[in-house]
Every structure is written in structure tokens, then in C-alpha cells.
Amino acid sequence: MSNIISVLFATIVTAPVLGLFMFYVCARYITKNNKRSFHVAVDTSTLFFILAVHFLIVIIWERSYLWIIMIVLVSIAMIMVITHYRIKQEIQFRKVFKGFWRFNFLLFFLAYFCLALFGVIQRIYEAFS
């Protein structure tokens, strides 16, 4: 049983788009609502996209830049809190965290595809040079 869980976790980290789809299908089956299911899938797969970006960076540059990812996450959180405070004059942490988490999904979703494309192009270039 633990072997199945570790294989499933490794697959989702390696291919987070597959995880996003799996989370969406499960949420769709439970909620019967497309919009809510998509939001649940996005919220649950964000962490896997962050991990996938980290591992792609390690594979491409053979060095861990996790500290930069953490600084980016903290900076985005600070910017979101300050912006929310300036607009609403009070901080609603639930809304701020939801916005922060979904913004990170967009950021790391795009970063995942850009790094994957860069990695493929780099490997092709290395193979033919």
C-alpha cells in the first residue's frame, strides 16, 4: 500500500498536470460542480507545481535554488497582504491566502511549462552538438 502511495506521489510531482487532471476528476465526482471542482483541483495541485518547478531546476542546472523559490513565495505573500490592506483597509486572511495560493498556481504552472520546454530544447541541443 505504501508503495502505491509513493508511486502516485512521485507521478504527481513529476507530471503535475496529470495530478491537476486527477484532482479535477475526483472533485468533479464529489461536488458535481465544474467551477468548484476546478478551484479544488487548482488549490490541491499548486504544491505539486511548486515541487515540480524545483525539481526541474535541479535537473536543468544541477543545483538547488529552493531558497529563491521560498523568497519568491514570501515576497508574493507580502505584496498580496500590503495590496489587500491598501484596498480594503483591513486584512481578511482567508481571501488573501486564497489569492496568494491561486496566483502561485498561475506562476508555477507557467514556470513548469517554460522550464520543461527549456529543458527539452537544452537536451536536444546537447545531443546534436
Side-chain angles (χ1 to χ4, degrees), residues 57-83:
I57 289 171
V58 169
I59 289 169
I60 292 171
W61 288 292
E62 298 174 353
R63 204 160 166 207
S64 175
Y65 291 104
L66 187 60
W67 63 276
I68 293 176
I69 292 174
M70 292 300 171
I71 289 173
V72 167
L73 289 171
V74 170
S75 299
I76 291 170
M78 288 175 17
I79 291 168
M80 299 275 291
V81 167
I82 291 169
T83 304

Side-chain angles (χ1 to χ4, degrees), residues 16-74:
V17 175
L18 181 63
L20 176 67
F21 179 72
M22 288 176 13
F23 289 132
Y24 174 76
V25 169
C26 291
R28 177 76 175 109
Y29 180 75
I30 293 169
T31 64
K32 308 275 192 265
N33 183 335
N34 283 334
K35 185 177 180 181
R36 179 144 167 76
S37 300
F38 182 72
H39 286 173
V40 168
V42 164
D43 291 342
T44 53
S45 65
T46 300
L47 179 63
F48 295 110
F49 277 100
I50 294 170
L51 290 173
V53 165
H54 167 67
F55 289 122
L56 280 174
I57 289 171
V58 169
I59 289 169
I60 292 171
W61 288 292
E62 298 174 353
R63 204 160 166 207
S64 175
Y65 291 104
L66 187 60
W67 63 276
I68 293 176
I69 292 174
M70 292 300 171
I71 289 173
V72 167
L73 289 171
V74 170

